[in-house]
Amino acid sequence: MTSFAPDSVVLNRKLPLWYQVSQSLRASILGRSPRDPLRLPTEEQLAGHYGVSVLTMRQALKELEDEGLITRHRRRGTFIEPHALRGAPVRLLGSVDAIVAQQSGMTAELLDHGTAAVPAELAEFFPELAEVATYHRLRCDEKTGDPTNHARNYVRPELAARIDLDDLARWPMTKVLRDVVGMDISRITDTVEARLADPETARLLEVPLLSPILHYTGITYDADGRVLDVAVIHYRGDRFSFTVTLDAT
């Protein structure tokens, strides 16, 4: 039986290895094609793929099993759970793969794209630019089809020519910039706050006008400190939770 092939990831020593592996594998699972096989490689094969010990791999798989994304069967192997709930909280320890995993696992419809003047509220992030490339997407739950969030990305215009719109239907912008465009992402700054749904958000997310939503802003930086992308996302308050774990060590 053919096994699912996870993406590769470059691990660092600033975060627990099992955590980085679990988040990378989680993002691969949630972003898989429906045609991909459900069976995962063996623990030993996965450990070799990620360059970690079998013990570390086992801890990473337990994290995904506890979340309900995989099931493990003695002698049969480990399988992706095709009907797993995609909206479970993600523990964010600062990894880019954690951000990718949080954004993955939803179907996305590209509502519009093009170029626009830099919005006044984002001018501080693009001080040398007059225009940015814009992408507006509506994400829906894979299982129910219900809208969960709509996202606007404001991206440096020189990157737009290297972004395939088909990739945006499958992957979050963070993953496209890193793994397809090849940008070196050094950090992402997240801000989440409660707001009331404006008319556009209420219509797209199918919620009452002025109902509570979560407003997320993510600023993606490259290794030189330049802002590559600003993501502004409105989440339905009943479909999203945001959990941050601070590692005291």
Side-chain angles (χ1 to χ4, degrees):
M1 179 184 296
T2 303
S3 297
F4 176 76
D7 294 341
S8 298
V9 62
V10 177
L11 303 178
N12 64 65
R13 299 294 168 178
K14 295 181 180 179
L15 297 171
L17 293 179
W18 67 265
Y19 171 79
Q20 296 177 70
V21 170
S22 71
Q23 294 307 307
S24 176
L25 186 53
R26 183 182 193 276
S28 295
I29 289 172
L30 294 182
R32 74 190 186 280
S33 165
R35 298 182 298 275
D36 288 339
L38 294 176
R39 184 174 186 173
L40 288 178
T42 65
E43 288 181 352
E44 291 77 11
Q45 290 169 330
L46 285 171
H49 174 79
Y50 286 109
V52 299
S53 69
V54 172
L55 184 62
T56 296
M57 194 67 239
R58 195 167 295 158
Q59 189 173 4
L61 290 172
K62 184 178 185 303
E63 177 82 359
L64 299 181
E65 185 179 26
D66 290 346
E67 189 179 331
L69 285 180
I70 62 173
T71 55
R72 309 178 75 187
H73 304 276
R74 187 176 179 85
R75 298 190 183 91
R76 289 181 53 212
T78 302
F79 296 83
I80 297 169
E81 175 52 57
H83 304 300
L85 179 64
R86 296 319 201 243
V90 178
R91 288 191 287 166
L92 299 180
L93 298 183
S95 145
V96 171
D97 282 292
I99 301 295
V100 171
Q102 179 266 309
Q103 297 172 354
S104 299
M106 302 175 194
T107 61
E109 175 188 356
L110 184 63
L111 300 178
D112 61 68
H113 68 96
T115 58
V118 177
E121 65 272 19
L122 303 182
E124 64 179 294
F125 303 115
F126 302 106
E128 78 284 17
L129 298 179
E131 290 186 332
V132 286
T134 62
Y135 303 87
H136 186 198
R137 286 175 293 167
L138 177 67
R139 294 193 183 107
C140 297
D141 184 274
E142 283 184 335
K143 186 175 181 181
T144 66
D146 294 336
T148 58
N149 68 80
H150 76 97
R152 293 185 186 274
N153 288 87
Y154 302 88
V155 181
R156 301 187 69 86
E158 66 268 23
L159 303 179
R162 298 156 62 187
I163 295 175
D164 190 322
L165 299 182
D166 289 339
D167 288 330
L168 290 180
R170 180 182 181 188
W171 297 113
M173 181 64 78
T174 305
K175 183 174 179 64
V176 172
L177 289 176
R178 187 189 66 177
D179 297 344
V180 179
V181 178
M183 301 307 297
D184 183 6
I185 295 176
S186 64
R187 62 189 173 97
I188 299 174
T189 301
D190 295 332
T191 303
V192 181
E193 57 185 311
R195 291 195 180 179
L196 301 179
D198 58 32
E200 179 188 41
T201 297
R203 176 179 61 82
L204 290 173
L205 300 187
E206 300 177 5
V207 297
L209 182 65
L210 301 182
S211 61
I213 61 166
L214 290 177
H215 177 87
Y216 164 95
T217 304
I219 317 297
T220 300
Y221 297 84
D222 68 8
D224 296 323
R226 291 189 315 162
V227 172
L228 302 175
D229 167 51
V230 177
V232 179
I233 309 177
H234 293 109
Y235 290 91
R236 280 181 54 158
D238 60 343
R239 295 299 180 92
F240 180 74
S241 58
F242 190 87
T243 302
V244 177
T245 299
L246 300 178
D247 187 356
T249 61

